[in-house]
Amino acid sequence: MIIDERTAAFIDSLDRGNTAFLDGIEKDALENQIPIVRKPTQSLLKFLLALKRPAEILEVGTAVGFSALLMSEYGPEDCHITTIEKYEKRIPAAKENFRRAGREDRITLLEGDAADILRELTGTYDMIFMDAAKGQYIRFLPDSLRLLAPGGLLISDNVLQDGDVIQSRFAVARRNRTIHARMREYLYELKHHPRLETVILPVGDGVTVSTKV
């Protein structure tokens, strides 16, 4: 927890919530320990969607489709979302959720390794939401920047790793040191890249919002 639990609970209590359908998917995901965007990050996404009004959204990391459906629900009516997922066990659930929501025409699911798919994509996106394996964010960055429209937003979730990212590498469990190093590299690149202006926010598990200049 980046901010104390009482403060977080108070802020969350003010939220007007989502649709009953999204609430059902969220409840099921949490019960089955499937990672989805946290409440504060959901609020931030809805704000940015209202502010930016993106026509084309790219998501890296679908899971069961909760965040794609959230963006589809609270984005412009004519927006289209392309989402990428490689974990075969979650793809059927995401497809079923898109079908049940009646959003199959507005959400395109691409199956496979994001690095390979990103390399083949063309065109531009007004918003890119990065919510996949944290150790791969730096690997996905070059193609993400190529695909991001000027003035577009790159939003990256879970960048503070429950606070671990601020620790010395020797204070982090050995199995997490590679992810720790790669996330630090990613954050440095976002803050120093000449084509990006980036803010790091202590929202949820840490979110960066970058705009392409």
Side-chain angles (χ1 to χ4, degrees), residues 90-140:
R90 290 185 182 149
I91 289 171
K95 287 182 175 179
E96 177 62 12
N97 286 331
F98 298 156
R99 186 196 65 78
R100 289 171 54 220
R103 298 298 173 101
E104 292 172 294
D105 60 331
R106 293 178 56 182
I107 302 175
T108 299
L109 175 59
L110 303 179
E111 303 176 32
D113 187 280
D116 296 332
I117 292 173
L118 288 170
R119 196 175 301 117
E120 298 299 323
L121 288 177
T122 58
T124 57
Y125 294 88
D126 306 300
M127 180 181 287
I128 298 177
F129 181 47
M130 191 83 70
D131 191 23
K134 295 185 286 291
Q136 299 301 314
Y137 283 12
I138 190 68
R139 183 182 174 208
F140 301 152

Side-chain angles (χ1 to χ4, degrees), residues 8 15 39 53 63 68 70 80 112 115 127 132 135 146 148 157 162 164 170-173 175 186-187 194:
D15 194 273
K39 289 288 188 185
R53 308 291 294 170
L70 181 91
H80 182 268
M127 180 181 287
R146 175 180 60 82
L148 188 64
D157 198 13
D162 288 319
D164 277 357
F170 300 107
V172 176
R175 66 180 181 276
Y186 181 70
L187 292 174

